[in-house]
Amino acid sequence: MTKKHRLLQYFRKYLLLFIGSIIYAAGLEIFLVPNNVIDGGVVGIAIMASHLTGLPFWVFLVVINIPFVYLGYKQIGKTFTIATLFSILSLSYWSNIFLPVPGLTEDLFLASVYGGVILGIGVGLIVRYGGSLDGSEIVAILMDKRSSFSVGEIVLIINLFILTGAGLVFGWDRAMYSLFTYFIASKVIDITIEGLDESKAVIIVSEQSAAITSALMDRLGRGVTILRGEGAYSGDAKNILYTVITRLEVAKLKAIIEEIDEKAFVTINDVHDVFGGTFKKKAIH
């Protein structure tokens, strides 16, 4: 991969993270916040804290996310951390820009539907290109190693507590509409990213298998299994690499493979359960 190609990839990635943040901020400030409807995760906590204290939303968004960004750095890596920090700061900026814009509707149902769809598109773009706005997912990944609950179940439990808080702060009708918004946003995120399962099974066939194996172990912190295969047409022996990663690591894995071998054959599939073996991520810092 040439230096020019790599720079174009970075530019495209951060441009789309920026656009995702703008879309998310628009849905938040134009539809949800004026109607006291919240999103889940850290954003929901920040909205409630801003309402109760009168301080700007962006202050709480940045401050509350700081420990989660640090955890992301330790557990997932620098690339994810930079993309996440960039997305959070972009959201903070654009939330302030959209703050004076009056809400487009006072109908709670329409606000929840439009807000949920717009938020889902924004978050979908951000996650698809290697970032995140929500520290609760990082917490869920860490808790998943110490509990019998899946990451999705842990995120849901965390958000149920947050939405209960919305009921106490804004009223139970707003909490129900917030739950409705959360449901719509999660479905739109699925469509935007083409699947949000926590674990992904990856199969890689490449002439540069040794270099890719080393890079995945050193830069991604994941174990790799080498399977011996043979090309049906050529009859040549081939090394087939198999690894399991989290969905937050997909963007970084693709970048690593493209950097080493643009012609590599890669398949990525959803994994609904991972147990046994050595799926635990090793330190990469």
Side-chain angles (χ1 to χ4, degrees):
M1 183 184 294
T2 65
K3 184 177 180 180
K4 181 180 178 181
H5 188 195
R6 192 178 296 114
L7 288 173
L8 286 174
Q9 275 194 331
Y10 276 118
F11 177 78
R12 179 171 177 266
K13 171 181 177 177
Y14 283 94
L15 176 63
L16 288 167
L17 290 173
F18 189 65
I19 292 171
S21 300
I22 296 173
I23 294 171
Y24 189 96
L28 201 64
E29 296 292 348
I30 296 176
F31 290 101
L32 299 188
V33 173
N35 291 288
N36 291 330
V37 176
I38 71 167
D39 188 21
V42 171
V43 171
I45 297 172
I47 291 172
M48 289 188 288
S50 175
H51 176 81
L52 292 171
T53 64
L55 294 174
F57 159 77
W58 68 267
V59 172
F60 293 102
L61 180 68
V62 173
V63 171
I64 297 172
N65 263 310
I66 287 174
F68 299 124
V69 171
Y70 177 75
L71 285 174
Y73 171 76
K74 299 299 289 184
Q75 297 295 323
I76 300 171
K78 295 178 183 177
T79 303
F80 169 77
T81 304
I82 294 170
T84 297
L85 190 58
F86 176 82
S87 302
I88 291 169
L89 293 176
S90 297
L91 173 59
S92 300
Y93 174 78
W94 283 103
S95 292
N96 265 347
I97 296 297
F98 285 115
L99 187 60
V101 179
L104 293 184
T105 179
E106 294 181 358
D107 186 303
L108 290 177
F109 178 76
L110 291 178
S112 299
V113 172
Y114 285 123
V117 170
I118 295 171
L119 259 61
I121 294 171
V123 174
L125 280 174
I126 289 169
V127 173
R128 183 172 182 175
Y129 289 94
S132 177
L133 292 172
D134 190 358
S136 65
E137 288 192 346
I138 299 170
V139 173
I141 292 170
L142 298 178
M143 290 178 64
D144 179 53
K145 299 174 182 179
R146 300 173 176 83
S147 72
S148 59
F149 294 103
S150 69
V151 171
E153 289 170 339
I154 294 170
V155 169
L156 179 60
I157 292 169
I158 292 172
N159 281 316
L160 285 176
F161 278 106
I162 293 169
L163 294 174
T164 299
L168 296 172
V169 174
F170 297 120
W172 296 108
D173 59 334
R174 262 55 175 188
M176 288 303 298
Y177 279 109
S178 297
L179 182 61
F180 184 49
T181 300
Y182 175 75
F183 176 77
I184 293 174
S186 66
K187 296 302 178 184
V188 176
I189 289 170
D190 286 343
I191 296 170
T192 306
I193 327 178
E194 299 179 350
L196 266 183
D197 288 317
E198 171 57 25
S199 298
K200 303 283 185 180
V202 184
I203 295 176
I204 307 161
V205 181
S206 169
E207 299 295 331
Q208 306 293 327
S209 59
I212 292 175
T213 298
S214 178
L216 294 181
M217 293 177 68
D218 294 338
R219 294 166 58 184
L220 203 59
R222 290 295 180 189
V224 179
T225 298
I226 300 176
L227 309 174
R228 309 299 178 186
E230 180 179 309
Y233 179 77
S234 65
D236 295 337
K238 294 181 180 294
N239 287 336
I240 302 169
L241 310 182
Y242 178 84
T243 187
V244 178
I245 61 175
T246 68
R247 69 176 180 81
L248 297 176
E249 295 168 324
V250 170
K252 185 172 182 179
L253 175 133
K254 289 180 179 179
I256 290 172
I257 295 173
E258 288 177 0
E259 181 182 318
I260 297 172
D261 183 8
E262 294 180 324
K263 296 181 179 179
F265 177 77
V266 183
T267 64
I268 302 175
N269 299 295
D270 294 335
V271 176
H272 297 288
D273 285 302
V274 179
F275 57 92
T278 54
F279 180 62
K280 184 177 180 182
K281 184 181 178 72
K282 71 174 185 178
I284 55 176
H285 300 288

